Amino acid sequence: MNQAFKIVEVGTRRYKVRTSLSGLEDTLPRSSIKPTVRQQMTVPQQLHKFLTGSLISRIEEETKARIKSPRGESIELEGSMSEVTAATKRIQKIVDDNMQSIPYTHFISLPIGDSD
């Protein structure tokens, strides 16, 4: 088994460090290395109650994307492009389905005048 080594100096000592495993690079599929994408998604604070911990865990498990929900209106998604896209679609569907449930925060009163 051919192994490549590199000499690394730390202080006054020298160490031999293996730099590659012979033949291992060729056996790993290139598709297993996925670039990581980070995306933020805005969800109204009133709808965060529909994104419970168990639901977020299930979405993470099914899409393999990591979802962070810090305080505020943004949700952070991290993973490969396909994972983030799938998680975004799932969360957007939940937001769209529950958008009618947001309580009104302001009311407008307009006088109705009858000229007759």
Side-chain angles (χ1 to χ4, degrees), residues 8-54:
V8 177
E9 291 187 26
V10 178
T12 59
R13 295 181 178 236
R14 289 183 178 185
Y15 298 95
K16 190 188 315 184
V17 179
R18 184 173 43 204
T19 56
S20 68
L21 298 174
S22 163
L24 184 61
E25 298 89 11
D26 298 332
T27 61
L28 291 175
R30 294 268 180 215
S31 63
S32 67
I33 302 171
K34 298 176 185 175
T36 302
V37 176
R38 285 187 180 171
Q39 180 178 342
Q40 286 195 347
M41 183 177 183
T42 302
V43 176
Q45 186 68 35
Q46 297 88 351
L47 292 177
H48 279 241
K49 65 183 176 185
F50 296 106
L51 298 171
T52 60
S54 61

Side-chain angles (χ1 to χ4, degrees), residues 45-78:
Q45 186 68 35
Q46 297 88 351
L47 292 177
H48 279 241
K49 65 183 176 185
F50 296 106
L51 298 171
T52 60
S54 61
L55 181 60
I56 292 293
S57 296
R58 190 171 56 205
I59 292 172
E60 285 180 330
E61 191 176 300
E62 291 173 0
T63 63
K64 306 295 186 232
R66 285 186 297 252
I67 302 170
K68 297 177 189 173
S69 182
R71 297 191 187 270
E73 292 193 353
S74 67
I75 291 179
E76 298 174 6
L77 303 146
E78 184 177 346

